[in-house]
Amino acid sequence: MVLSTGLHAARAQGRNTRQLVHELLRTRIVLLEILPGAALSENDLAAELGVSRTPVRESLILLAEEGLVDVYPQLGTFVARIKERDIASAQFVREALELAALRDSVTSAGERDVLELRALLAAQSEAEQQSDPEAFFKLDEEFHARLMAAGGHPEVWSVVSHAKAHLDRARRLSLPLEDQLPLLIRQHTDVVDALERRDVDGADAALRGHLRQVFADVDTIRTRHPDLFADTDAPPRPRREPRRRA
């Protein structure tokens, strides 16, 4: 299998099995390759990945600590449904770090930084024209990482990326919304335009509005995918659903 082959290759390079399994399962959950509400079997995952049950069990414990899986005694382990409070918490962290870094980007970004950001905007437009939300999502991540790097804070992006797992699940669900990609590209363009003008306040307002776009989308995507969301006070009883993509 491709998954087990990749894991064995990484292990041969000296990487820890538990870390690899955790990263893989976390990525599949965040990318919605395993949907919220889906049951997770230690035996099935171990067989699929070609590892023992121990690293799978340890990885599921870590994912539970991150709030990405829920463990129900005598029922099993399930991918956590999306909660609006988790989206808000992740957004708070992301906004604080990205806006703080942006001020340095506006004052210190050079011509090359602007050119690279504009190149990413062009690539995003191409992804939009080709109706390729997967490619757009990756380019969106590159854009925000590059924006932080322009201010001299490339290492902070890994902190942001790790903190926004719950937020990313909602963001991915919002990409198919009508006119969503053109809207996000316009918002990105506004940020770069302000950065190029050395307009600190304008860049701050543009990026803040862009990052908060997800709040305007939550009601719509929740209506479209009610089974993927949970009420804060009364999460639905888990059901053994197939591990399929949205």
Side-chain angles (χ1 to χ4, degrees):
M1 294 179 63
V2 174
L3 287 176
S4 64
T5 300
L7 279 173
H8 286 306
R11 289 164 67 187
Q13 297 173 2
R15 299 198 62 192
N16 178 273
T17 301
R18 185 190 68 178
Q19 179 185 17
L20 290 167
V21 172
H22 172 253
E23 289 177 359
L24 177 59
L25 293 179
R26 190 179 193 276
T27 297
R28 294 175 69 183
I29 290 171
V30 172
L31 297 184
L32 301 179
E33 292 176 3
I34 308 178
L35 289 179
L40 297 173
S41 162
E42 286 184 17
N43 289 333
D44 291 347
L45 289 170
E48 182 180 1
L49 300 176
V51 299
S52 70
R53 290 178 56 187
T54 299
V56 173
R57 183 183 309 113
E58 293 173 344
S59 298
L60 293 177
I61 291 172
L62 293 175
L63 291 169
E65 292 174 353
E66 294 180 74
L68 289 171
V69 304
D70 292 324
V71 180
Y72 295 87
Q74 301 180 335
L75 278 176
T77 301
F78 299 79
V79 177
R81 285 182 165 82
I82 301 170
K83 302 179 182 68
E84 292 186 35
R85 66 182 180 188
D86 290 336
I87 295 174
S89 295
Q91 173 61 23
F92 177 82
V93 174
R94 181 182 193 186
E95 184 174 313
L97 292 175
E98 288 205 44
L99 289 177
L102 179 65
R103 291 188 169 267
D104 289 337
S105 299
V106 172
T107 57
S108 63
E111 181 178 356
R112 180 177 178 180
D113 296 307
V114 174
L115 288 174
E116 291 182 358
L117 289 167
R118 299 255 182 229
L120 287 170
L121 292 177
Q124 290 171 14
S125 294
E126 183 176 351
E128 185 270 324
Q129 291 168 12
Q130 295 179 355
S131 300
D132 190 345
E134 292 294 328
F136 180 89
F137 187 86
K138 293 177 182 178
L139 289 164
D140 181 271
E141 295 287 281
E142 289 182 36
F143 175 85
H144 286 275
R146 187 67 191 83
L147 192 61
M148 297 192 81
H153 303 290
E155 71 286 347
V156 180
W157 177 250
S158 63
V159 180
V160 174
S161 184
H162 188 271
K164 63 187 181 69
H166 296 284
L167 176 64
D168 282 347
R169 295 200 290 172
R171 289 174 58 221
R172 294 186 71 86
L173 288 171
S174 73
L175 292 182
L177 297 179
E178 185 177 0
D179 295 328
Q180 182 76 349
L181 300 190
L183 170 62
L184 297 178
I185 293 169
R186 289 195 300 271
Q187 292 174 343
H188 286 166
T189 302
D190 289 341
V191 174
V192 178
D193 288 346
L195 181 148
E196 190 171 25
R197 296 193 306 268
R198 305 290 188 190
D199 180 357
V200 174
D201 292 338
D204 184 278
L207 183 59
R208 189 185 303 274
H210 168 64
L211 294 178
R212 293 185 179 183
Q213 177 65 39
V214 67
F215 294 133
D217 299 331
V218 165
D219 288 342
T220 301
I221 60 178
R222 182 165 188 155
T223 299
R224 290 191 178 190
H225 305 282
D227 55 319
L228 304 185
F229 284 78
D231 293 329
T232 300
D233 298 323
R237 183 181 179 83
R239 301 186 298 273
R240 290 196 169 274
E241 302 167 352
R243 291 193 287 121
R244 52 185 174 80
R245 289 194 64 166

